[in-house]
Amino acid sequence: MYSVQLMGVAFSLIMIISVFFMVRARMIREKYSLVWFLIGLFTLVMSVFKDLMDWFSALIGVDYAPSAFFAILIASAYLLLLNMSVSISGMKMHNKTLTQELGLTKLRLEELEKKMNGGESQSNI
């Protein structure tokens, strides 16, 4: 069982360090990195303190502690997916608004160019 704990600690530390470097390189925004840091910290704590996971799984009525651990990680993944879906939906609506504003701006610019070109051709006659 010690090797499983060691793998859990190694995985969580790699995840925390990777997220830290991604934030430094501006590959991920801070608001999303916080969720990943919390998942990494949770994994680290549960890997180091096996008794805590046993206590938690007994609290929620699960007989096998690793099953409770994986259920929590799967629930976290679903919450991350929900969060990303909300962000993507907001970005899509924002892009639609920006595209409509750009189209209106191009239309106004074309109308101004027509007026300017029309005014020049009349003054030349």
Side-chain angles (χ1 to χ4, degrees), residues 41-75:
L41 185 64
F42 172 77
T43 306
L44 180 65
V45 169
M46 292 301 163
S47 296
V48 172
F49 302 108
K50 183 186 175 300
D51 295 334
L52 183 62
M53 191 67 225
D54 292 334
W55 172 81
F56 181 74
S57 62
L59 179 71
I60 61 173
V62 176
D63 293 332
Y64 187 57
S67 294
F69 179 71
F70 285 117
I72 292 168
L73 289 179
I74 290 170

Side-chain angles (χ1 to χ4, degrees), residues 56-102:
F56 181 74
S57 62
L59 179 71
I60 61 173
V62 176
D63 293 332
Y64 187 57
S67 294
F69 179 71
F70 285 117
I72 292 168
L73 289 179
I74 290 170
S76 298
Y78 280 127
L79 290 174
L80 281 170
L81 288 171
L82 179 64
N83 186 17
M84 292 299 142
S85 296
V86 169
S87 295
I88 289 170
S89 297
M91 290 173 137
K92 185 176 179 180
M93 290 176 11
H94 186 68
N95 282 345
K96 181 180 177 182
T97 303
L98 287 174
T99 303
Q100 290 172 344
E101 289 177 6
L102 178 64

Side-chain angles (χ1 to χ4, degrees), residues 1 3 20 32 46 48 55 78 88 92 110-112:
M1 198 62 170
S3 63
F20 176 75
Y32 301 121
M46 292 301 163
V48 172
W55 172 81
Y78 280 127
I88 289 170
K92 185 176 179 180
E110 288 173 1
E111 288 175 355
L112 285 173

